[in-house]
Amino acid sequence: MFSFVLQRLVQSVIVVLILSIVLFVGVRLIGNPVDILISSEASEADRLAAIVALGLDKPLWEQYLTFLGNAVRGDWGTSFVYKEPVVGILLQRLPASLELGLVAFVLAVSISIPAGLYAGLRPQSPLGRGIMAFSLVGISIPTFWQGMLLIVAFGIALPILPVGDRGQLATHFGITSSLWTLDGWSHVIMPAFSLALLKMSLLMRVTRAATMEICRLDFVKFAYAKGVRNRKVVIGHILRNALVPLVTVTGIELGNLLAYGVITETVFSWPGLGKLLINSIKVLDRPMIVAQLTYTALLFIAINFLVDILHMAIDPRVKSVLRRRES
């Protein structure tokens, strides 16, 4: 177990270094921020002064080493646009993205797994067919179109839910969040459902497919033949084994919800990291772009690491493979 965790940590560090190089070089290939930040009527002396002030006059390798050394110390640079430390700006926007992503994740998991399990156990029933039809619709409609339909339906035609912003904030236990207030929930529920719909549909289909596959296996048939209660077979045999592929897919989708809510945040004017990334790309704010993309990479690496640990706890076969390797 210890050697497995150590191996994963070493691999994670190598992946982060490679990704940081790719991101740092790639961002510098998409354009020169001076062309956007400095007026076209500025003199050549003013342009050169801006380039020196932003540190863009140094060779690319020297810029990367400076960035890497500062990042290790927790300094991700200063935003070209906001003239503030990047970390501070990200920490201001991070709570909004976490709220939206976590609420969407809870909605997706709490609805999709029971629905997919039922559709897998009773695939020919009217409700099972209806669940699959719903999942097909959820996958087929683009995220931005879902958001626009929800805004028109519940924000304009039936103005029962507000659109935009996080709503009223409150602080409890040292945590400031809009989820502490009813007004905050009224603001988050519509964008969260829009963000969760695609993931919900995907998890429904994965759960149904895994359930139907496991129901055909001999140990499930043997359990029924022994007279084991249906509830115990479903929970202890079918659902537990279906969790093996579900954990992987759910982990990936959690990372997507927390990191890639760009379209939803833009459509609903949600003040999170996704909207900040779009604005940063428009003005080529290099430190902000690199910091956000690196955060996304670190998030996925951390989630994949946790998924590997969960696989060991859920699937005994993984433990046996690791024991054979260690011996």
Side-chain angles (χ1 to χ4, degrees), residues 195-215:
L195 183 60
L197 187 55
L198 175 61
K199 316 303 179 186
M200 189 189 307
S201 303
L202 175 62
L203 289 176
M204 280 181 186
R205 303 182 78 85
V206 172
T207 306
R208 176 181 181 270
T211 301
M212 293 180 66
E213 181 180 355
I214 293 168
C215 284

Side-chain angles (χ1 to χ4, degrees), residues 11 15 33 47 60 65 78 102 110 119 161 172 214 246 303-304:
Q11 291 175 352
V15 170
R47 290 178 57 83
L60 186 59
L65 291 179
T78 302
L102 291 176
S110 61
L161 291 174
H172 295 286
I214 293 168
L246 270 177
I303 290 176
N304 286 332

